[in-house]
Amino acid sequence: MATTEDTTTGHPVPGAVRALSASVTALAERPLFALDAATIRDTIQALAVLESKVTSLKLAVLAHAEEVQVGSDTGCTSTGVWAANATRSRKNVTTVQVKLATALESRWHRVRDALAAGVMNPDQVRVVVNALEDLPEDLDAALLIQAEETLVAYAADFDPTALQQLGTHILTLIAPEVGEEIDRIRLKAAEAKAAQKRRLTLSFDGHGSAHGRFTIPEVQGKMLQKLLHGFAAPGHVNCTPDESGEKREWTKGRPGPQKLGEAFCELIENYPRHNAPKLGRTDGTFIATTTFDLLTTALGTATLDDGTPMTAAQAMRLACEARIIPVVLGGNGEVLHQGKARRKYTAAQTYAMHARDKSCTAKGCDWPPGLCHTHHDTMFSKGGKTDIEDGRLLCPHHHARAHDPAYDMTIHADNKVTFHRRT
């Protein structure tokens, strides 16, 4: 493409840019239906290189615009603001572009040249420059050069996400004795800052739901994520049935918001209360109160000790797996039965049931023991004991069914159980 001088200034750049723009416009008007797959791949890669070269020119012009304060005679407060107004762009975006352009022209010439040659793309350049700018100001000049050269070389093989990780630890990679100490200092400061930002808020909407927001350090966030993924793992089903009462199968892939919400509920329900701090003279155990008549009907209800309502079926289900003591009242409010606080089977008892039952004990269900809950055949509200002779393994779906007042559970001679809807 021939260079065309600008008729006003005599400088070749403006004319060349207009000529390039015209060429791109002409290309965009050409039909693409005749391009085969191989040509399309080559074209996309060539366009990526062209985009890098055009971006390099744009940043060089922006750096010069900052040097000559191009927006000063228009009353703009900065080059970034002028560029935003001139190109109808967001001010925060153009301000960042001017900052990047200045950094490339003043310090990071190897990154600048790689962008101009098309061997680095704009996204790679941004993360590399951010990593370099984040290095200590008093770092030895030779190490700065080595860090820049190494990251430019990495750009041939790594995408911006990987480059960002490499850039964060570049000193550890090129000079371990220096980088490890700097990483330690950074991590200490980051952890202290994250600890100061810890927050959690809970609100209750009065319609049966609680809403919350929290901010926690990344390490604890990853720990929470792993716990939730364990509860929401493929093949695992929360023991609360859906509206139709049927088992819900997880889909493949990462669990979505609904599955993580269900997993969070299971995490709360299964948290060992002996690890919880004392609240007054108690250990965080909940008391669920209901009446005998309501407990024996599908419409039974219960309340926690703070007055929060729930169905009696949910109270009885939680009594098996969570630390909830069911208190059953008679018609006159007298206590007919108070369950024991130590309701969960021990690990040894659970392993014994794993060896005995081999799987969920509902007929036709083959869920493995590791995904099953322990269930009391005789509920605590009716005098049941935490003995393996009075216990069995049930998958979450059948465990929910066992506590559903709409169903009867029948135990057969082979220790298998079946469920039938009550008439």
Side-chain angles (χ1 to χ4, degrees):
M1 181 180 65
T3 301
T4 304
E5 280 195 5
D6 184 83
T7 57
T8 303
T9 65
H11 198 285
V13 170
V17 170
R18 281 193 289 272
L20 177 61
S21 178
S23 297
V24 172
T25 300
L27 285 173
E29 294 173 351
R30 299 287 296 274
L32 303 177
F33 64 86
L35 293 179
D36 58 24
T39 306
I40 291 173
R41 286 192 289 267
D42 291 342
T43 302
I44 290 176
Q45 291 176 323
L47 286 171
V49 172
L50 177 61
E51 181 182 10
S52 294
K53 293 181 176 182
V54 171
T55 300
S56 172
L57 176 60
K58 178 182 177 180
L59 292 176
V61 174
L62 280 176
H64 185 60
E66 173 70 359
E67 183 180 354
V68 301
Q69 292 294 296
V70 72
S72 61
D73 59 349
T74 65
C76 289
T77 56
S78 69
T79 304
V81 172
W82 173 85
N85 293 338
T87 61
R88 301 175 303 282
S89 302
R90 291 190 178 94
K91 293 181 177 61
N92 60 329
V93 173
T94 54
T95 298
V96 170
Q97 289 174 343
V98 171
K99 182 179 178 181
L100 175 61
T102 302
L104 290 175
E105 288 298 322
S106 62
R107 300 189 67 185
W108 313 118
H109 297 162
R110 294 167 184 82
V111 179
R112 178 199 63 191
D113 294 343
L115 179 64
V119 298
M120 287 184 72
N121 64 51
D123 289 335
Q124 290 178 310
V125 167
R126 278 188 284 272
V127 298
V128 166
V129 169
N130 285 341
L132 294 171
E133 293 281 310
D134 200 35
L135 293 175
E137 294 182 0
D138 59 350
L139 191 65
D140 182 73
L143 281 180
L144 276 178
I145 294 173
Q146 187 179 356
E148 184 182 7
E149 290 176 340
T150 302
L151 287 173
V152 169
Y154 283 154
D157 299 308
F158 297 102
D159 64 17
T161 301
L163 272 179
Q164 186 174 21
Q165 295 295 323
L166 291 167
T168 301
H169 304 288
I170 187 61
L171 287 182
T172 303
L173 294 172
I174 64 175
E177 68 285 355
V178 176
E180 289 175 2
E181 177 61 15
I182 291 175
D183 282 349
R184 185 192 68 80
I185 295 172
R186 282 179 175 173
L187 281 174
K188 183 178 180 181
E191 288 174 357
K193 185 176 181 180
Q196 293 175 351
K197 294 169 66 176
R198 290 175 294 189
R199 298 288 188 276
L200 187 145
T201 58
L202 276 175
S203 60
F204 302 89
D205 62 12
H207 299 286
S209 295
H211 306 269
R213 295 172 60 89
F214 66 84
T215 299
I216 59 177
E218 182 179 12
V219 171
Q220 284 71 26
K222 294 291 186 181
M223 295 168 68
L224 175 62
Q225 183 184 58
K226 189 171 185 179
L227 284 171
L228 295 180
H229 282 178
F231 281 105
H236 184 83
V237 174
N238 185 283
C239 55
T240 303
D242 60 19
E243 293 180 357
S244 64
E246 297 301 321
K247 180 172 70 175
R248 289 167 296 174
E249 296 288 351
W250 293 141
T251 56
K252 293 182 179 180
R254 294 185 179 183
Q258 181 180 357
K259 296 172 189 175
L260 289 178
E262 293 167 350
F264 194 33
C265 289
E266 284 215 63
L267 174 62
I268 294 170
E269 291 174 7
N270 287 277
Y271 183 81
R273 298 297 181 221
H274 62 270
N275 288 341
K278 294 292 184 181
L279 186 62
R281 294 188 176 184
T282 66
D283 61 355
T285 297
F286 283 104
I287 308 296
T289 304
T290 188
T291 66
F292 180 79
D293 290 338
L294 290 176
L295 181 62
T296 56
T297 69
L299 300 177
T301 61
T303 59
L304 293 179
D305 44 3
D306 67 351
T308 303
M310 69 171 71
T311 63
Q314 180 169 202
M316 294 303 103
R317 176 182 66 80
L318 291 175
C320 278
E321 290 296 321
R323 197 167 178 84
I324 284 188
I325 303 176
V327 176
V328 182
L329 305 178
N332 296 322
E334 73 277 15
V335 176
L336 298 181
H337 175 79
Q338 177 174 323
K340 304 175 181 64
R342 190 171 181 271
R343 308 189 58 80
K344 297 191 72 172
Y345 285 94
T346 65
Q349 288 175 312
T350 302
Y351 290 142
M353 279 189 273
H354 283 191
R356 181 194 68 192
D357 296 342
K358 303 294 193 298
S359 66
C360 173
T361 55
K363 278 188 178 293
C365 185
D366 60 354
W367 274 52
L371 291 178
C372 290
H373 294 169
T374 52
H375 171 71
H376 300 80
D377 284 338
T378 305
M379 298 182 185
F380 269 80
S381 59
K382 299 179 180 178
K385 298 180 180 179
T386 307
D387 297 328
I388 59 174
E389 293 78 10
D390 193 42
R392 67 178 55 254
L393 297 181
L394 290 175
C395 70
H397 170 69
H398 286 116
H399 191 198
R401 185 60 54 84
H403 287 285
D404 190 337
Y407 287 86
D408 282 320
M409 184 178 78
T410 302
I411 303 175
H412 299 276
D414 59 356
N415 199 40
K416 294 292 185 177
V417 297
T418 56
F419 299 91
H420 302 280
R421 186 178 289 274
R422 292 178 179 175
T423 57

